[in-house]
Amino acid sequence: MRKQISIPLMIAVATCQITTTQAADSTASQSEMGRLEAVKVTADAEGDTTENSGSYVAKKSRGAARLNLDLKETPQSVSVITREHMDQRGLSNIEDILNAAPGVYTTRLDSERSAYYSRGFAITNHQIDGLPVGDNSPRFDNFFFDRIEIVKGATGLMGSTGNPSATINMVRKRPTAEFQANLGAAFGRWDHQRLEADVSSPLNSTGSVRGRAMVADTDEDSYMDFYHLDSTVAMAVVEADAGENTLVTLGYQYQKNSPTGSTWGAVPYWNRDGSMANMPRNFSLTADWSRIREIDKTLFAELQHEFGNGWLVKGVVAHTVSDSDWMVAYGGSGFPDPATGEGLSLWTGIWPYSENKKLNLDLYATGPFALWGRTHELIAGYSGFTSRNISDNVTTDVQYSPQIPDYRIWTGNIPRPTYEKNGSGSEDTTDLYGIYTTARFDLSDPLKLIVGARFSDYEYESKSWTASTPKSPSSDPSKKDMLTPYVGLTYDINRRFTAYASYADMFTPSSRKDRNNHYLDPETGINYELGIKSDWNDGKLLTTLAAFWSEKDDVAIADVAYNLMVQEAIANGASPEDFQVLTAYIATGQGLKVEGFEVEAIGLLSDDWNISYGYTYVNSINSQVASELTNVPQHQMKISTSYTLPGSLWRGAEKLTLGGGLNWQSDISNEWGGAPANSVGNGVIRQDSYFLANAFMHYQINDFISANFNIDNMFDKKHYTNVGFYNGIYWGEPRNMKISLRARF
């Protein structure tokens, strides 16, 4: 187990610091905290937009308790990457954004797939405007979004399943009340080219109907051999005021990623004799036709009405179709022999017809109510989704040997396979719906209690068919009912500091079966959190100190006795078809425990100086059924800052903004198993601690046109973003530079 740090000691030190400040601010009145005012219906009823704010800090989020709370009033840690932060840093997709987000660790599985972690667990909940994304969704382009919210810990009230890690909520841009246009062009290393246009305007003379349309196209190569990406994104949104208090929204979002030279797996770490392979960063044993294409299309509609008493009702529906087309060949198997060039072989995967259809629904009412002589807030609703994965199988004709004769002279030029549908396929359907409610009680001017719960109804069914047999269930359906509670408490120590505590949980339905062909009980994730938030510079800077304890229970492990019995029976002549379950599992009631703390500061140090800082410590604790996570860093620190020069330095100095940042992480390691004999590291692949630096310069040429220069991995640090995956490594991107021009009207 890794070295532990005393969390109570950290809280005690912070409390001593707060007590000193409290004495200075003890005369501040808190009476205004108890008043809840009616909110005018606007296009951004979910929270303040960050576009054109010039700041790294956001105002509000519904991500934790469903209520539209100020971040300081939210009893969980919430990190937000604003539009200003994305534009200054040149963060082009969700992976780039999460690389800049405090407390989030990103890693690559291959050219198209990424994995994200927070608080020691994988992040599995990705949402857009609070609704789950499609199962085959690509790495989303940043162009759609006003901000990205990362709510740390369990978020069961949001209606999703998953780990007590975090939920990523991508909040779309909306039409504006006044005309604005944004045109951009960017050029960078590896033939990076990007063009984008974003126009928003009233659509009638009164401004009661507003529209926004945007489109962007990216065309680029990569530091990896053979890889090329062509990506197109577009979105159109129309809003209409259907009366003084009613808002109707209709929109369509589209993204198509069309890569060639896609990889499937990692780069070999060891040679056949156990020595380090030391492959260069551009090394890729893919084919020039290898592809993992993804198309994501979403149609969404919203209806919102505000009553005169401060209550609001809102209904949201979204239908997403996510198509995936895999035809991949990649030399990820084996260990190379540098003397002969032999030892590696190709994996081939052909799944060209995979489609996910997801229907999301959310209907709620929220508003104030009076009780005990004080005003409180309530939200109640019904939400959920139906997700259907459909895959048509194919018969393939592969005209090449899986063995690579000599990897040293690999050209990627092998015959493209052909395929045709063979009449078989599968269909998996998930229904997850539930009712939820949350109340925020104003117990006193400084003290607020948030209590909520969600009751979820989960159903899963799998079917399959062949050319000669009709569609039929592959196994018994899985049905579960789960209650996920939420409790949060905030206390305003003074006008600057707010202490909070919260409890939240969520669940993950198990896809594992026991020896009786029944699905196991869901895994449960629990999160406890204590923290202190403070705002500075008139609320423009928010700081957070949070300590957390998380655990994941009912983790499935192999049913060793049953599995050995099946293996022995088959070895003695039994048919696998004699067994309903070939590999069985049991739920132990045990799992993995994680503890840690976070320190974060995001916002404006002054009107011209932005900062985003985060430090995270995570310690995972072994149990009998789960080992500590060594492939996730125990320590992480991220800082980004930008400063607009004062005009007093020289004439026009205020047109120049300079910025930069630093990402540091401690060491990571992983043991996959099956390493060569006498391998370096005894079968363990390690990446030592390292830091990556970035910098940018923004120049406002005139009132409309600006230029940006960005450089990432400024010192060209060689590093792995993934270790041990199939006994390989994934190289991080070398130094990269981009220049962009932007016109705003």
Side-chain angles (χ1 to χ4, degrees):
M1 184 172 66
R2 298 184 180 185
K3 182 180 178 181
Q4 300 186 37
I5 293 179
S6 174
I7 295 176
L9 178 60
M10 295 292 299
I11 297 295
V13 171
T15 304
C16 292
Q17 295 173 339
I18 290 171
T19 304
T20 304
T21 306
Q22 182 180 8
D25 294 343
S26 60
T27 60
S29 171
Q30 300 295 314
S31 61
E32 70 271 18
M33 297 296 292
R35 295 195 297 268
L36 289 173
E37 299 180 355
V39 180
K40 183 181 185 297
V41 177
T42 65
D44 190 49
E46 295 299 314
D48 294 348
T49 61
T50 67
E51 187 179 27
N52 301 321
S53 69
S55 174
Y56 285 6
V57 72
K59 302 281 186 187
K60 296 176 179 290
S61 172
R62 285 189 183 271
R66 304 288 308 188
L67 298 167
N68 195 25
L69 300 175
D70 288 342
L71 295 183
K72 188 182 176 185
E73 298 173 335
T74 302
Q76 275 181 259
S77 178
V78 182
S79 301
V80 181
I81 302 297
T82 65
R83 188 72 247 173
E84 179 76 5
H85 197 167
M86 287 185 262
D87 288 344
Q88 286 189 348
R89 286 281 307 275
L91 308 175
S92 61
N93 58 44
I94 187 61
E95 182 175 310
D96 294 339
I97 293 167
L98 296 178
N99 268 325
V104 179
Y105 174 66
T106 67
T107 183
R108 282 280 187 101
L109 305 180
D110 45 47
S111 61
E112 315 308 323
R113 297 182 299 166
S114 303
Y116 313 122
Y117 294 84
S118 180
R119 297 187 172 182
F121 296 101
I123 301 174
T124 56
N125 296 320
H126 299 213
Q127 302 177 346
I128 296 179
D129 288 343
L131 302 178
V133 303
D135 292 357
N136 289 335
S137 297
R139 293 188 190 105
F140 283 104
D141 195 285
N142 84 6
F143 198 47
F144 301 123
F145 307 118
D146 173 77
R147 60 193 180 275
I148 308 297
E149 302 172 347
I150 302 99
V151 183
K152 311 290 180 58
T155 54
L157 281 178
M158 296 299 290
S160 295
T161 60
N163 298 318
S165 52
T167 293
I168 301 166
N169 184 33
M170 297 163 271
V171 182
R172 290 187 182 100
K173 297 175 181 177
R174 298 288 172 154
T176 56
E178 298 180 354
F179 174 82
Q180 68 175 41
N182 185 337
L183 307 176
F187 307 91
R189 193 177 179 187
W190 306 301
D191 291 330
H192 171 83
Q193 301 175 56
R194 179 179 172 91
L195 298 174
E196 56 187 46
D198 178 2
V199 180
S200 182
S201 175
L203 299 181
N204 61 1
S205 59
T206 63
S208 62
V209 182
R210 302 164 295 277
R212 187 164 191 164
M214 58 189 72
V215 62
D217 184 80
T218 302
D219 189 89
E220 63 184 2
D221 293 333
S222 167
Y223 65 95
M224 299 182 297
D225 290 342
F226 311 112
Y227 187 81
H228 178 83
L229 174 64
D230 185 8
S231 175
T232 301
V233 302
M235 186 170 73
V237 185
V238 176
E239 288 183 341
D241 299 325
E244 184 177 351
N245 299 316
T246 304
L247 180 69
V248 180
T249 304
L250 182 66
Y252 179 75
Q253 178 180 313
Y254 172 87
Q255 179 167 341
K256 180 180 180 180
N257 285 3
S258 300
T260 53
S262 296
T263 66
W264 188 22
V267 173
Y269 180 77
W270 290 294
N271 287 319
R272 180 181 287 177
D273 62 4
S275 62
M276 289 184 63
N278 291 319
M279 298 298 185
R281 287 182 285 186
N282 63 301
F283 184 81
S284 177
L285 291 178
T286 188
D288 52 11
W289 46 258
S290 186
R291 67 173 188 254
I292 304 177
R293 294 177 182 167
E294 297 160 312
I295 302 177
D296 191 80
K297 297 167 285 188
T298 299
L299 180 66
F300 57 95
E302 302 174 3
L303 176 63
Q304 177 179 305
H305 179 77
E306 181 191 351
F307 296 92
N309 59 1
W311 274 79
L312 177 148
V313 294
K314 185 171 184 178
V316 182
V317 63
H319 184 262
T320 298
V321 178
S322 302
D323 294 323
S324 176
D325 173 8
W326 279 58
M327 188 167 71
V328 186
Y330 185 72
S333 178
F335 301 100
D337 184 341
T340 65
E342 299 176 346
L344 294 175
S345 59
L346 293 163
W347 292 321
T348 298
I350 302 176
W351 302 283
Y353 304 110
S354 177
E355 181 180 69
N356 172 258
K357 295 180 178 180
K358 179 167 285 185
L359 177 66
N360 283 290
L361 175 69
D362 190 12
L363 175 65
Y364 64 85
T366 182
F369 68 97
L371 185 66
W372 307 317
R374 305 186 74 88
T375 302
H376 317 280
E377 190 174 358
L378 177 71
I379 186 171
Y382 174 83
S383 69
F385 65 83
T386 295
S387 179
R388 181 170 289 109
N389 287 297
I390 304 169
S391 181
D392 290 314
N393 298 331
V394 297
T395 300
T396 62
D397 183 14
V398 178
Q399 297 292 324
Y400 54 81
S401 168
Q403 302 301 321
I404 297 176
D406 189 343
Y407 73 87
R408 299 169 302 180
I409 56 173
W410 178 258
T411 64
N413 185 19
I414 55 177
R416 184 194 304 261
T418 60
Y419 56 83
E420 62 180 359
K421 292 183 180 181
N422 59 24
S424 66
S426 62
E427 178 181 291
D428 301 330
T429 303
T430 300
D431 291 303
L432 179 62
Y433 291 91
I435 56 174
Y436 61 88
T437 185
T438 306
R440 183 174 184 254
F441 293 99
D442 186 7
L443 302 180
S444 66
D445 287 346
L447 184 63
K448 308 294 186 293
L449 172 67
I450 299 175
V451 181
R454 178 184 178 88
F455 183 78
S456 298
D457 179 28
Y458 169 85
E459 294 186 16
Y460 172 81
E461 186 177 29
S462 179
K463 297 180 179 180
S464 61
W465 61 90
T466 68
S468 58
T469 59
K471 184 185 298 185
S472 60
S474 304
S475 60
D476 293 336
S478 175
K479 298 183 179 182
K480 300 291 180 182
D481 295 329
M482 296 293 292
L483 180 68
T484 51
Y486 182 93
V487 180
L489 193 69
T490 63
Y491 181 77
D492 296 325
I493 299 172
N494 53 39
R495 296 184 64 181
R496 175 156 291 156
F497 291 95
T498 297
Y500 71 88
S502 65
Y503 166 89
D505 69 16
M506 63 195 311
F507 70 97
T508 303
S510 180
S511 60
R512 308 288 193 182
K513 295 182 179 180
D514 62 18
R515 62 176 63 186
N516 297 315
N517 200 30
H518 296 148
Y519 287 100
L520 299 181
D521 289 338
E523 298 177 351
T524 57
I526 300 172
N527 183 77
Y528 303 89
E529 187 168 331
L530 291 174
I532 298 169
K533 296 185 180 183
S534 57
D535 57 15
W536 311 80
N537 191 22
D538 295 327
K540 299 175 184 177
L541 175 69
L542 179 67
T543 62
T544 304
L545 172 63
F548 56 87
W549 299 262
S550 303
E551 59 183 79
K552 187 175 181 181
D553 296 328
D554 288 325
V555 174
I557 62 172
D559 186 341
V560 177
Y562 174 84
N563 295 340
L564 285 175
M565 182 270 293
V566 171
Q567 293 172 11
E568 291 175 357
I570 293 176
N572 292 327
S575 170
E577 297 179 356
D578 295 336
F579 303 92
Q580 283 187 306
V581 179
L582 294 177
T583 304
Y585 294 84
I586 57 176
T588 63
Q590 304 179 40
L592 182 67
K593 296 182 179 181
V594 171
E595 63 180 19
F597 66 88
E598 299 170 334
V599 181
E600 187 172 306
I602 299 182
L604 287 163
L605 292 170
S606 67
D607 289 344
D608 297 318
W609 189 0
N610 266 304
I611 189 170
S612 172
Y613 170 82
Y615 169 79
T616 304
Y617 166 79
V618 176
N619 182 66
S620 55
I621 303 171
N622 285 320
S623 72
Q624 293 181 347
V625 299
S627 301
E628 61 175 328
L629 301 174
T630 60
N631 62 333
V632 175
Q634 191 175 39
H635 303 270
Q636 268 191 296
M637 190 275 291
K638 299 180 181 180
I639 183 170
S640 297
T641 187
S642 68
Y643 182 69
T644 301
L645 301 183
S648 58
L649 289 180
W650 67 80
R651 184 178 180 182
E654 72 280 359
K655 296 181 178 181
L656 183 63
T657 300
L658 301 176
L662 192 72
N663 283 19
W664 174 85
Q665 67 175 57
S666 58
D667 64 286
I668 57 174
S669 61
N670 195 12
E671 183 177 6
W672 187 266
N678 304 315
S679 59
V680 173
N682 295 318
V684 177
I685 301 178
R686 178 179 299 276
Q687 166 64 66
D688 293 333
S689 63
Y690 66 91
F691 71 87
L692 301 177
N694 63 79
F696 77 87
M697 180 177 65
H698 172 87
Y699 186 72
Q700 193 68 39
I701 299 172
N702 56 36
D703 291 342
F704 306 106
I705 301 175
S706 63
N708 248 56
F709 175 74
N710 295 83
I711 179 168
D712 294 316
N713 193 2
M714 187 161 53
F715 302 111
D716 201 25
K717 173 67 178 179
K718 291 185 176 180
H719 62 287
Y720 308 139
T721 63
N722 195 347
V723 294
F725 186 53
Y726 285 93
N727 284 313
I729 50 92
Y730 198 97
W731 281 111
E733 187 176 78
R735 181 189 295 119
N736 191 8
M737 292 171 283
K738 288 189 292 187
I739 186 169
S740 59
L741 294 173
R742 189 171 300 279
R744 299 179 189 270
F745 304 97

